[in-house]
């Protein structure tokens, strides 16, 4: 399994080697990758059905920290894997035609493949840390996908929005994962399942679920974080289709479903999910019907659908979970289909404006049929899969009986209103462009390529197939999804016909009211402008203000700490060291200075001492740079002498050579500078004296303190004894460098090389811009 | 400062330094190699050896000029860096051939005169030596040419 995910990433980067102009016609073959993965995951269905709850693939990563790359397949992760790879395969095929003229199509496929790999890793991970890693990777790769049209400023801006909102949520998610680990001591989701009571009885439980849900809500665009999702419409349509139907935004849903058996306490958890999900589904559905842009309608209806899913997970009963599992599949099928239809319409007519489009069924008959099927499925008309999911959603609000009796009606009404609006939104995209009179300017549009319409035909076939034979979907995967969330086997089944009852009445009412609404509300540019004014006071505005303030703060902060003067960097570093080390030294350590162990003062040391002191005096008083540098060299060489006196010839040699080179370097650099100027005033001098004195005292204290503690001689003894036996060397220092710690040395040489290349690139290869300026 | 001197250091036109450098350069390089080789038994090693060799070249560049020093090499000192790095890596990979872990030292059984025992550690040190020369000379020459 690990190999599989890694190979997806490798293939992703390998795609970059294809050249867009020449190899464009081969890009359709890339859909073999997700398709073969799809077949691979299909092969797990019998195993999951046969009652085997989960298959674990274990791979160690950092065992000492409990971080692993374990992957788990159960109903839930299998459903998502199938959606990711299955719809992925269709998207790959679709995009090969949709973007075939794009000069960066290879990059597009690279991002898409990495995104797919990240999503697969996310839904399959059984370890919190690896899950988080893939989670962030989906944010990053979707950032590239949304901002794919890099020349469009709006596109870049939306990508940044999406990244910052989901990234912000990611921080909270990581915090909640760390809290889970600190409470239970494990990063494994499998092990957390048995520890749910420990988690829920902990006093940090509420903070934990707050952080966790913030992460999940931002990702799946719940109110009030919903606004990044319509912005993400700036992505190429295949990306929107993929992100909205099977992946990205469903990641939050996946996460909530995955952690429901662990974190759900039956009260607070459910209440929060129901209220947030309920608000989101209403807001999304309401806003969706007033849009003019087809993609925009779909974006808001996606928000609403995500709200419904969170709402259902919030209800948390067996029916509700079954409804959620079904709706994930239903929504993926019809939403992917509608997005691809939008893409075709856009591709052929170069507009997505609903006020302009009509009568396209004459020109695009196959697309029209598929669009109608998808729209009917979203409306929940019988014989489509959407009908079954709608029935069971109503069923779950009906079963809701653990608050008061009234709440049943309130919840049902909520869902009804949402569904009415969603029905209307579905018809808006699926019916409106295709019926009515065909405008003249669309008379000559050409037929879409088979790569564009084949995917939606496949999706429509599945929508009808599951709609007529729901047991196929149910026994295939849905029931095992519910089982893996519920942690006990499910008793309910999906049926085409539930009999004449209130629920059927509600379904009928939804369709009728939705259709009426469709005829009442005509898309117009005036209404949409009015709604956009509402956005001014919405959450987007608040977050924009926050983001601007953070930017201003960051700017000021950076100007203060990174002002470009080496002297202030050194000053900051030293002041921080004094602060932190000094605090630790005086708060935790009892200061003891043992003068007995100090060796007597010898004449050499006295000479060196005088040398250093006089050199430093010269440095501080001199008016010439060269003198200052040479005096600094004297200090360095005196330190070499100390090494010689105390018997460290290797160190002395190295220090000697380094000091010589340092002086040379300084001379080279400073020679070109103007004559010595007085930069420092008395105030600065006093500050520097204080800081340097404090630093000197601190270092002296630490040194004296270190003498008090008996040093551990084990290590040096081992090296001394074994240097010749194990490494055939007599010079212990050198043996350590080239043998015992050879890898360290190698890395250090690499660091040195990087420094050299850095200097070379900064000084030698100036940018064209700089050269022009000169 | 005059215009033409802006791009190069003012010449230390001392005949003594030049003559001395001509003799000192090979001597210092030989010394650096000596330091490198004896490192395993006595004070020394690749790092110090590399520094000494670089100082020799820096001295040469002071006596003449940077361009002339670079012309002593067949290639830019920058290329010593990848050479040294790959030599170090190669010495680390050698033990894999006789199925021992990465970076295990392997030694020839017979001692060589002057050098003593010869093994992959010396090869590794030689790599460090080359990297250090490459790094120091790249940095110093770049700065002296461009500042």
């Amino acid at each position: 399994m690990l190999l599989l995910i890694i190979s997806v990433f490798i293939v992703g980067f390998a795609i970059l080697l294809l050249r867009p102009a020449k190899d464009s016609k081969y890009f359709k073959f890339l859909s073999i990758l997700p398709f073969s993965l799809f077949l691979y995951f299909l092969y797990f269905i019998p195993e999951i059905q046969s009652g085997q709850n989960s298959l674990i693939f274990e791979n160690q990563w950092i065992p000492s920290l409990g971080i692993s790359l374990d992957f788990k397949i159960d109903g839930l992760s299998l459903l998502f894997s199938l959606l990711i790879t299955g719809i992925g395969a269709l998207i790959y095929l679709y995009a090969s035609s949709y973007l075939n003229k794009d000069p960066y199509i290879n990059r597009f496929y690279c991002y898409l493949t990495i995104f797919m790999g990240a999503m697969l890793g996310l839904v399959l991970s059984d370890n919190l840390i690896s899950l988080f890693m893939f989670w962030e990777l989906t944010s990053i790769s979707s950032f590239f996908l949304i901002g794919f049209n890099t020349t469009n400023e709006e596109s870049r801006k939306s990508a940044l929005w999406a990244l910052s909102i989901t990234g912000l949520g990611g921080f909270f998610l990581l915090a909640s994962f760390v809290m889970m680990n600190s409470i239970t001591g494990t990063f494994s989701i499998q092990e957390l399942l048995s520890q749910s009571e420990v988690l829920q009885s902990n006093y940090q439980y509420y903070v934990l679920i707050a952080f966790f849900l913030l992460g999940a809500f931002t990702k799946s665009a719940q109110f009030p974080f919903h606004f990044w999702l319509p912005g993400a419409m700036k992505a190429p349509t295949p990306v929107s289709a993929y992100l909205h139907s099977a992946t990205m935004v469903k990641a939050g849903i996946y996460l909530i479903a995955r952690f429901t058996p662990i974190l759900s306490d039956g009260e607070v958890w459910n209440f929060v999910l129901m209220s947030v999900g309920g608000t989101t589904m209403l807001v999304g559905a309401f806003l969706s019907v007033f849009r003019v842009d087809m993609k925009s309608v779909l974006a808001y209806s996606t928000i609403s659908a995500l709200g419904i899913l969170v709402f259902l997970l919030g209800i948390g009963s067996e029916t509700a979970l079954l409804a959620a599992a079904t709706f994930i599949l239903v929504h993926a099928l019809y939403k992917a289909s509608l997005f691809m239809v939008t893409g075709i319409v856009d591709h052929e007519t170069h507009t997505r404006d609903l006020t302009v489009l009509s009568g396209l069924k004459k020109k695009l008959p196959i697309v029209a049929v598929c669009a109608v099927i998808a729209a009917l499925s979203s409306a929940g008309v019988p014989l489509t899969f959407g009908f079954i999911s709608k029935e069971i959603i109503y069923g779950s609000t009906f079963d809701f009986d653990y608050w008061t009796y009234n709440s049943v009606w309130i919840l049902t009404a909520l869902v009804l209103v949402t569904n009415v609006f969603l029905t209307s939104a579905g018809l808006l995209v699926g019916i409106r462009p295709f019926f009515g009179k065909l405008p003249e300017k669309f008379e000559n549009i050409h037929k879409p390529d088979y790569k564009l319409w084949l995917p939606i035909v496949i999706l429509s076939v599945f929508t009808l197939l599951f709609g007529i034979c729901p047991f196929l979907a149910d026994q295939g995967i849905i029931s095992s999804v519910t089982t893996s969330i519920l942690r006990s086997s499910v008793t309910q089944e999906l049926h085409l016909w539930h009999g004449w009852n209130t629920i059927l009445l509600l379904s009928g009412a939804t369709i009728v009211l939705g259709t009426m609404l469709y005829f009442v509300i005509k898309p117009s540019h005036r209404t949409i402008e009015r709604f956009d004014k509402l956005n001014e006071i919405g959450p987007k505005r608040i977050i924009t203000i926050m983001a601007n303030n953070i930017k201003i703060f960051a700017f000021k902060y950076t100007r203060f700490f990174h002002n470009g003067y080496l002297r202030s960097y050194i000053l900051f570093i030293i002041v921080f060291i004094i602060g932190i080390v000094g605090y630790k030294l005086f708060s935790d350590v009892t200061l003891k200075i043992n003068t007995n162990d100090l060796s007597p003062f010898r004449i050499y040391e006295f000479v060196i001492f005088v040398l250093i002191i006089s050199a430093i005096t010269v440095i501080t008083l001199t008016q010439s740079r060269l003198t200052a540098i040479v005096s600094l060299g004297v200090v360095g060489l005196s330190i070499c002498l100390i090494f010689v006196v105390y018997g460290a010839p290797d160190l002395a040699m190295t220090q000697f050579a380094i000091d010589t080179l340092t002086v040379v370097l300084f001379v080279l650099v400073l020679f070109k500078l103007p004559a010595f100027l007085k930069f420092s005033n008395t105030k600065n001098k006093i500050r520097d004296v204080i800081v340097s004195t404090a630093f000197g005292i601190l270092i002296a204290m630490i040194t004296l303190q270190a003498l008090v503690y008996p040093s551990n001689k084990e290590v040096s003894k081992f090296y001394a004894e074994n240097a010749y036996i194990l490494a055939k060397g007599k010079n212990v220092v050198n043996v350590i460098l080239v043998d015992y710690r050879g890898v360290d040395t190698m890395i250090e040489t690499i660091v040195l090389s990087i420094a050299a290349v850095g200097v070379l690139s900064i000084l030698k290869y100036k940018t064209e811009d700089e050269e022009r300026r000169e | 400062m005059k215009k033409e001197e802006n791009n190069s250091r003012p010449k230390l036109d001392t005949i003594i330094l030049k003559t001395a450098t001509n003799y000192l350069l090979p001597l210092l390089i030989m010394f650096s190699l000596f330091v490198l080789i004896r490192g395993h038994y006595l004070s020394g090693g690749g790092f110090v050896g590399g520094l000494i060799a670089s100082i020799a070249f820096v001295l040469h560049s002071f006596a003449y000029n940077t361009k002339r020093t670079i012309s002593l090499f067949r290639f830019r000192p920058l290329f010593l860096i990848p050479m040294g790095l790959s030599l170090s890596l190669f010495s680390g990979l050698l033990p894999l051939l006789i199925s021992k872990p990465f970076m295990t030292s392997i030694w020839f059984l017979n001692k060589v005169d002057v050098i003593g025992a010869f093994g992959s550690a010396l090869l590794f040190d030689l790599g460090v030596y080359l990297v250090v020369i490459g790094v120091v000379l790249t940095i110093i020459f770049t700065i002296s040419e461009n500042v």
Side-chain angles (χ1 to χ4, degrees):
Chain A
M1 191 56 68
L2 177 65
L3 207 66
L4 184 135
I5 286 170
I6 288 177
S7 54
V8 170
F9 289 116
I10 292 173
V11 171
F13 285 112
I15 291 169
L16 288 178
L17 299 176
L18 294 172
R19 275 155 311 170
K22 263 189 179 168
D23 304 331
S24 282
K25 53 180 179 289
Y26 300 119
F27 277 99
K28 64 180 177 220
F29 293 117
L30 285 177
S31 59
I32 294 171
L33 168 77
F35 187 66
S36 49
L37 289 174
F38 179 72
L39 292 180
Y40 173 77
F41 284 115
L42 272 185
Y43 154 86
F44 286 103
I45 284 188
E47 285 183 68
I48 295 293
Q49 278 172 332
S50 65
Q52 206 166 349
N53 253 330
S54 50
L55 303 149
I56 302 250
F57 302 83
E58 287 176 345
N59 304 285
Q60 293 216 319
W61 186 12
I62 315 172
S64 54
L65 295 176
I67 297 169
S68 66
L69 283 167
D70 292 352
F71 295 104
K72 183 169 103 170
I73 291 191
D74 62 356
L76 185 62
S77 51
L78 191 58
L79 172 69
F80 274 92
S81 310
L82 287 171
L83 283 179
I84 292 163
T85 52
I87 293 189
L90 302 179
I91 299 284
Y92 270 66
L93 187 64
Y94 181 85
S96 69
S97 170
Y98 192 86
L99 288 168
N100 67 346
K101 296 208 180 68
D102 197 294
Y104 296 117
I105 187 172
N106 55 348
R107 275 192 217 170
F108 175 81
Y109 273 98
C110 168
Y111 301 152
L112 196 65
T113 311
I114 290 168
F115 179 71
M116 185 177 76
M119 276 307 297
L120 278 179
L122 167 64
V123 297
L124 292 170
S125 284
D126 188 51
N127 188 282
L128 294 178
I129 296 298
S130 54
L131 189 152
F132 178 75
M133 185 185 77
F134 288 116
W135 174 273
E136 290 294 284
L137 201 54
T138 60
S139 293
I140 292 166
S141 48
S142 67
F143 167 74
F144 286 116
L145 285 171
I146 295 170
F148 184 66
N149 296 323
T150 44
T151 46
N152 182 346
E153 198 198 330
E154 278 293 306
S155 167
R156 295 200 302 265
K157 211 170 148 191
S158 321
L160 212 56
W161 267 117
L163 182 70
S164 35
I165 299 288
T166 54
L168 187 74
F171 281 126
F172 286 105
L173 189 71
L174 181 64
S176 77
F177 283 171
V178 171
M179 284 168 82
M180 283 183 210
N181 175 258
S182 72
I183 295 170
T184 61
T186 178
F187 277 123
S188 160
I189 298 172
Q190 191 70 11
E191 283 169 34
L192 281 173
L193 281 170
S194 57
Q195 304 240 35
S196 62
E197 276 168 32
V198 181
L199 277 173
Q200 284 166 30
S201 57
N202 195 285
Y203 68 99
Q204 291 174 333
Y205 171 68
Y206 296 111
V207 183
L208 194 156
I209 56 169
F211 283 5
F212 174 83
L213 289 177
L214 265 175
F217 287 165
T218 48
K219 191 80 155 191
S220 58
Q222 296 296 305
F223 185 86
F225 308 108
H226 63 281
F227 52 86
W228 70 261
L229 200 130
M233 287 297 105
K234 296 289 179 294
T237 309
V239 175
S240 314
Y242 199 33
L243 255 59
H244 283 228
S245 60
T247 53
M248 181 78 170
V249 293
K250 290 257 171 73
I253 305 295
Y254 166 79
L255 204 68
I256 296 173
R258 171 61 77 214
F259 282 85
T260 295
I262 300 169
L263 293 176
S264 169
D265 63 346
E267 287 165 23
V268 180
W269 169 269
N270 294 35
F271 179 73
V272 172
L273 287 187
M274 278 168 72
S275 43
V276 173
T279 318
T280 311
M281 72 185 186
L282 270 182
V283 170
F286 180 69
L287 290 175
S288 70
V289 291
F290 297 104
R291 302 285 129 184
V292 178
D293 182 14
M294 286 170 81
K295 271 177 103 173
S296 192
V297 175
L298 292 175
Y300 281 100
S301 74
T302 301
I303 294 176
S304 175
L306 294 168
I308 294 177
L309 284 170
V310 171
F311 178 76
L312 288 173
L313 288 169
I315 294 177
S317 64
E318 188 188 314
T319 329
L321 293 179
L322 189 62
T326 319
F327 191 58
I328 289 173
L329 185 56
V330 170
H331 177 252
L333 289 176
Y334 78 71
K335 194 47 73 66
S337 192
L338 286 178
F339 262 114
M340 289 198 245
V341 166
T342 306
I344 295 172
V345 169
D346 191 15
H347 199 67
E348 306 303 337
T349 65
H350 304 289
T351 178
R352 298 194 304 255
D353 193 331
L354 283 168
T355 54
V356 180
L357 294 164
S358 72
L360 285 175
K361 75 167 190 287
K362 285 181 204 117
K363 290 284 154 191
L364 310 164
I366 305 172
V367 180
V369 170
C370 296
V372 170
I373 292 175
L376 293 183
S377 180
S378 89
V381 173
L383 296 186
T384 60
F385 199 21
F387 171 67
I388 288 151
S389 94
K390 182 157 298 174
E391 291 273 286
I392 194 161
I393 291 172
Y394 283 128
S396 59
T397 56
F398 248 67
D399 285 355
F400 188 82
D401 53 5
Y402 33 89
W403 288 341
T404 59
Y405 182 71
N406 276 339
S407 61
V408 170
W409 291 107
I410 294 170
L411 294 184
T412 310
L414 272 180
V415 176
L416 180 71
V417 173
T418 308
N419 275 337
V420 166
F421 278 101
L422 274 188
T423 302
S424 171
L427 296 178
L428 211 55
V429 178
I431 306 276
R432 191 172 185 87
F434 297 99
F435 293 90
K437 197 173 152 283
L438 185 70
E440 257 175 49
K441 61 175 169 177
F442 298 144
E443 287 287 352
N444 300 319
I445 57 171
H446 59 91
K447 294 267 178 292
D449 192 42
Y450 80 94
K451 281 170 276 180
L452 288 178
W453 57 257
L454 187 63
I456 47 173
V457 170
I458 295 172
L459 288 172
S460 311
V461 167
F462 273 105
T463 306
L464 290 177
L465 179 71
F466 289 150
I468 296 164
C469 319
F471 57 88
L472 279 179
D474 185 33
Q475 283 165 17
I477 184 85
I478 303 288
S479 67
S480 27
V481 177
T482 326
T483 313
S484 56
I485 306 176
L486 264 183
R487 318 250 315 127
S488 62
S489 55
V490 207
T491 49
Q492 292 185 33
E493 284 178 8
L494 296 181
H495 291 293
L496 180 57
W497 188 247
H498 293 89
W500 297 100
N501 52 21
T502 336
I503 291 172
L504 190 70
L505 191 74
L506 283 168
S507 276
T510 310
I511 296 165
V512 172
L513 288 172
T515 318
M516 277 161 65
L517 194 67
Y518 166 68
F519 285 112
V520 170
I521 300 176
K522 296 275 175 225
S524 85
H525 289 281
R526 286 239 325 274
T527 11
I528 190 113
E529 274 163 24
R530 240 174 271 156
F531 272 101
D532 282 342
K533 273 187 198 126
L534 263 180
N535 263 347
E536 290 288 303
I537 47 164
K540 186 173 183 176
R541 178 113 185 108
I542 298 167
I543 293 189
T544 313
I545 292 169
M546 260 167 66
N548 284 340
N549 281 324
I550 290 172
K551 223 192 241 167
I552 292 165
F553 171 74
F555 188 68
K556 284 185 179 159
Y557 176 89
T558 314
R559 282 300 285 274
F560 183 70
F561 281 109
H562 293 267
N563 51 13
Y565 294 114
L566 189 62
R567 55 175 183 273
S568 42
Y569 288 153
I570 293 174
L571 186 72
F572 288 135
I573 291 169
I574 289 178
V575 167
F576 270 93
I577 291 177
I578 295 172
I580 293 165
V581 178
Y583 170 75
K584 203 74 190 157
L585 193 65
F586 288 103
S587 64
D588 285 11
V589 184
T590 40
L591 285 175
K592 259 189 299 182
I593 291 168
N594 189 349
T595 45
N596 296 338
D597 284 356
L598 298 179
S599 51
F601 210 52
R602 283 178 299 177
I603 183 75
Y604 325 104
E605 287 147 17
F606 184 71
V607 172
I608 296 169
F609 177 74
V610 171
L611 261 175
I612 293 180
I613 293 292
S614 37
I616 289 175
T617 321
V618 173
I619 294 174
T620 47
L621 296 180
T622 184
Q623 295 293 317
S624 140
R625 277 208 184 82
L626 211 58
T627 320
I629 293 160
V630 171
S631 308
L632 203 62
V634 170
V635 176
L637 295 183
S638 311
I639 291 170
C640 293
L641 283 179
I642 295 179
F643 288 140
V644 172
V645 169
Y646 285 99
D650 281 272
L651 264 179
M653 276 168 82
T654 314
Q655 176 86 23
F656 189 86
I658 290 279
D659 249 304
T660 314
L661 287 169
T662 315
V663 171
V664 169
L665 260 181
F666 268 120
V667 169
L668 285 179
V669 173
L670 295 185
F671 218 89
K672 286 288 160 75
L673 293 181
F676 200 93
L677 292 173
K678 260 190 145 173
F679 281 118
S680 53
N681 50 27
T682 324
K683 212 171 100 190
N684 285 356
K685 272 189 180 156
I686 292 171
R687 181 196 66 193
D688 291 347
V689 166
I690 292 171
V691 169
S692 51
T693 315
F695 193 57
I697 291 172
L698 182 75
I699 297 294
M701 294 286 275
I702 292 173
T703 317
L704 289 172
Q705 201 59 36
L707 289 175
V708 175
Y709 294 99
S711 58
N712 186 353
K713 293 234 166 73
E714 283 290 298
V715 180
S716 46
K717 224 165 95 188
F718 170 83
Y719 282 138
E721 279 170 2
N722 290 291
Y724 194 69
I725 302 164
L726 294 177
K728 298 193 199 294
K730 285 176 185 156
N731 177 6
V732 179
V733 178
N734 192 262
V735 166
I736 291 174
L737 280 177
V738 300
D739 201 298
Y740 290 130
R741 311 213 56 88
V743 180
D744 284 7
T745 311
M746 190 184 274
I747 310 270
E748 275 160 28
T749 55
I750 293 172
V751 171
L752 272 181
S753 318
I754 293 169
V757 173
V759 170
L760 189 73
S761 55
I762 289 172
L763 290 178
K764 198 133 197 166
Y765 302 109
K766 287 177 183 161
T767 56
E768 285 174 15
D769 206 36
E770 278 172 56
E771 268 170 16
R772 216 176 299 134
R773 217 175 296 155
E774 281 170 11
Chain B
M1 222 179 273
K2 267 187 280 167
K3 186 87 171 90
E4 68 263 25
E5 280 174 337
N6 251 348
N7 293 321
S8 64
R9 278 192 315 296
K11 297 238 164 65
L12 295 165
D13 231 351
T14 62
I15 197 89
I16 299 175
L17 187 63
K18 279 184 178 168
T19 319
T21 308
N22 286 345
Y23 293 100
L24 274 176
L25 182 66
L27 270 178
L28 276 170
I29 290 171
M30 263 156 51
F31 178 65
S32 76
L33 283 170
F34 165 72
V35 167
L36 160 76
I37 291 164
R38 75 169 208 159
H40 222 54
Y41 296 93
L42 293 158
S43 306
F47 193 74
V48 186
L51 287 175
I52 293 170
S54 337
I55 289 173
F57 288 110
V58 170
L59 180 68
H60 187 269
S61 84
F62 264 65
Y64 296 94
N65 57 45
T66 315
K67 218 168 250 163
R68 181 138 174 207
T69 314
I70 293 176
S71 70
L72 290 177
F73 290 86
R74 299 234 167 131
F75 35 77
R76 300 226 311 269
L78 182 67
F79 289 107
L80 288 173
I81 299 175
M83 268 169 65
L85 283 179
S86 27
L87 195 62
S88 299
L89 186 70
F90 172 71
S91 82
L93 292 175
L94 264 186
L96 296 180
L97 291 179
I98 51 167
S99 52
K100 288 216 177 118
F102 179 63
M103 298 279 313
T104 317
S105 310
I106 41 176
W107 296 89
F108 289 106
L109 290 175
N110 298 329
K111 284 197 174 183
V112 185
D113 289 336
V114 187
I115 298 176
F118 181 79
S120 65
L122 189 61
L123 215 55
F124 180 83
D125 230 7
L126 188 64
V128 175
Y129 175 82
L130 292 178
V131 171
V132 170
I133 299 179
V135 168
V136 172
L137 292 187
T138 305
I139 292 179
I140 289 189
F141 288 169
T142 318
I143 288 180
S144 77
E145 277 175 353
N146 287 280
V147 169

